[in-house]
Amino acid sequence: MEDFEDDPRALGARGHRRSVSRGSYQLQAQMNRAVYEDRPPGSVVPTSAAEASRAMAGDTSLSENYAFAGMYHVFDQHVDEAVPRVRFANDDRHRLACCSLDGSISLCQLVPAPPSVLRVLRGHTRGVSDFAWSLSNDILVSTSLDATMRIWASEDGRCIREIPDPDGSELLCCTFQPVNNNLTVVGNAKHNVHVVNISTGKKVKGGSSKLTGRVLALSFDAPGRLLWAGDDRGSVFSFLFDMATGKLTKAKRLVVHEGSPVTSISARSWVSREARDPSLLINACLNKLLLYRVVDNEGTLQLKRSFPIEQSSHPVRSIFCPLMSFRQGACVVTGSEDMCVHFFDVERAAKAAVNKLQGHSAPVLDVSFNCDESLLASSDASGMVIVWRREQK
């Protein structure tokens, strides 16, 4: 780490279809039960003494917990254009949204059956690169290659506000400040990160900073005091975020790999007696998924381990499983250019692969779990969104 001192179209919905998995979609876990004993201090998951935590997860292994019964539903309203982002609403089991390079965003409901597209948000004149749910799920913010961000009301799909990028550049990523959802951070193609007040539509004074390349990925830590930004030159920068003013102060820089775009950053902190080891999950075009340890309050990163996936050119993303801290192990999920969804146990020294879901016919770009991990959504470069159902034990 280095120190710093300071073409577009709006396609109509093609519909969606329900799928029941058969044959090749009968996916079963391949690993035996893992026994985790005597974890060292600083381990990213609770120790074997954390009986209460394990009981919450059913006291089962990761391979058992992440066995899937197959496809629950397939949405194909965005077919022919990539869906770079799919996200379940916060603390919600059945509300799902996805954005497309066709310039639209779909809001979907998975129950009651059959699942349906509630509404399609249109207004961007070029592809939608990213979007985020507000904490209360009443607002969505989206970024687009048309050099604007838009604020949407999820209840009726109304566009509340259109905000042009301060630099007039393509906007490539966005994230809400987790404590103050009135502030959103966006990254653009002119190498800049901007903090924007969505109520006024203005960028925050002192809330801008320049990276070495196009800003492709953003992630806050849970308290909202640290922000990480990744660019297409292979660097990840950490910023100190002033909660009172929204000002950004550049802190550290990590060169993941020179010239390899950083396409996804996901932060996770464990707050428990057994484990206090904040971590960062990073996708870069290296054919690897990278797990870093956050070693100090300035966001310094130390590589913990990597996992083999196929990613050399596509903007693949990954996530931490939301309930991992209560399981016998810690699981992460990632897309891949091999058209599969991969699950890895970050604590298993050997044979870290937990499961692999097959069903996409194009590179898998994004993955999202609902709040109780009963459903997983994945999107791909051909515009398909698959919702997978986890086996009930």
Side-chain angles (χ1 to χ4, degrees):
M1 302 289 291
E2 299 176 11
D3 289 289
F4 285 85
E5 299 189 13
D6 242 8
D7 263 24
R9 52 193 174 127
L11 296 178
R14 295 197 179 192
H16 45 277
R17 62 180 183 271
R18 185 162 188 146
S19 297
V20 178
S21 61
R22 301 182 181 91
S24 63
Y25 299 138
Q26 294 292 341
L27 305 167
Q28 300 179 356
Q30 302 296 317
M31 299 172 60
N32 296 326
R33 175 187 295 269
V35 179
Y36 294 85
E37 295 293 340
D38 301 323
R39 293 195 178 280
S43 174
V44 299
V45 292
T47 66
S48 57
E51 299 296 338
S53 295
R54 289 211 307 271
M56 291 179 69
D59 199 26
T60 50
S61 70
L62 283 183
S63 57
E64 291 171 317
N65 273 299
Y66 294 112
F68 280 74
M71 296 181 186
Y72 174 73
H73 194 77
V74 176
F75 290 100
D76 62 358
Q77 67 270 19
H78 298 295
V79 164
D80 297 334
E81 294 284 357
V83 173
R85 188 63 126 165
V86 60
R87 288 185 169 188
F88 277 96
N90 296 305
D91 297 320
D92 196 300
R93 296 178 63 192
H94 300 121
R95 263 198 298 175
L96 180 72
C98 59
C99 66
S100 171
L101 293 187
D102 68 14
S104 66
I105 303 166
S106 293
L107 303 184
C108 308
Q109 186 75 34
L110 301 181
V111 294
S116 62
V117 178
L118 293 177
R119 58 187 56 87
V120 178
L121 312 183
R122 294 187 176 91
H124 285 296
T125 59
R126 294 187 63 193
V128 181
S129 55
D130 197 4
F131 77 94
W133 293 92
S134 66
L135 191 59
S136 58
N137 297 322
D138 58 337
I139 297 291
L140 287 91
V141 62
S142 61
T143 53
S144 171
L145 305 182
D146 67 8
T148 70
M149 62 183 294
R150 285 179 176 252
I151 314 302
W152 309 86
S154 61
E155 183 64 28
D156 57 11
R158 176 173 47 94
C159 180
I160 299 172
R161 177 172 281 111
E162 178 183 359
I163 304 172
D165 176 60
D167 304 315
S169 174
E170 295 177 339
L171 285 169
L172 306 176
C173 54
C174 61
T175 187
F176 275 106
Q177 209 285 337
V179 176
N180 180 3
N181 275 188
N182 199 43
L183 299 178
T184 301
V185 183
V186 296
N188 70 23
K190 289 190 175 177
H191 308 184
N192 288 321
V193 172
H194 297 297
V195 180
V196 178
N197 185 316
I198 64 173
S199 293
T200 65
K202 306 294 185 182
K203 69 176 182 178
V204 173
K205 185 178 180 180
S208 298
S209 188
K210 201 169 192 68
L211 275 61
T212 53
R214 293 157 52 94
V215 186
L216 303 181
L218 295 164
S219 183
F220 273 103
D221 67 349
R225 297 188 182 94
L226 270 175
L227 172 72
W228 289 274
D231 65 29
D232 68 348
R233 301 288 181 87
S235 291
V236 174
F237 292 80
S238 66
F239 297 89
L240 305 180
F241 187 91
D242 189 307
M243 303 289 285
T245 65
K247 180 182 177 181
L248 292 176
T249 302
K250 193 177 288 184
K252 301 288 182 177
R253 177 192 177 194
L254 168 73
V255 179
V256 175
H257 189 272
E258 190 68 41
S260 297
V262 174
T263 61
S264 176
I265 302 176
S266 182
R268 179 67 187 259
S269 298
W270 285 260
V271 182
S272 70
R273 291 176 304 172
E274 298 89 1
R276 299 176 182 272
D277 192 6
S279 298
L280 216 62
L281 192 62
I282 291 177
N283 285 89
C285 293
L286 287 169
N287 292 314
K288 293 178 183 178
L289 175 64
L290 305 169
L291 180 70
Y292 286 87
R293 178 180 289 112
V294 183
V295 300
D296 61 24
N297 292 330
E298 292 192 333
T300 302
L301 301 175
Q302 180 183 78
L303 183 64
K304 181 177 175 66
R305 66 177 306 184
S306 63
F307 309 92
I309 63 170
E310 290 187 23
Q311 185 191 2
S312 59
S313 60
H314 286 77
V316 171
R317 298 179 184 269
S318 58
I319 56 169
F320 290 100
C321 295
L323 301 182
M324 66 158 68
S325 59
F326 300 113
R327 303 202 184 284
Q328 297 187 57
C331 193
V332 296
V333 188
T334 183
S336 176
E337 291 176 4
D338 65 359
M339 301 182 289
C340 296
V341 177
H342 294 268
F343 296 71
F344 295 103
D345 179 357
V346 302
E347 287 292 279
R348 180 181 280 270
K351 297 182 179 179
V354 172
N355 200 356
K356 180 172 70 172
L357 304 183
Q358 297 171 302
H360 285 279
S361 57
V364 180
L365 303 182
D366 196 18
V367 287
S368 178
F369 256 123
N370 67 353
C371 62
D372 67 357
E373 295 184 356
S374 59
L375 297 171
L376 175 76
S378 54
S379 64
D380 67 30
S382 72
M384 195 75 72
V385 174
I386 298 178
V387 181
W388 309 85
R389 182 178 64 250
R390 192 163 61 87
E391 287 184 355
Q392 300 302 309
K393 300 297 180 182

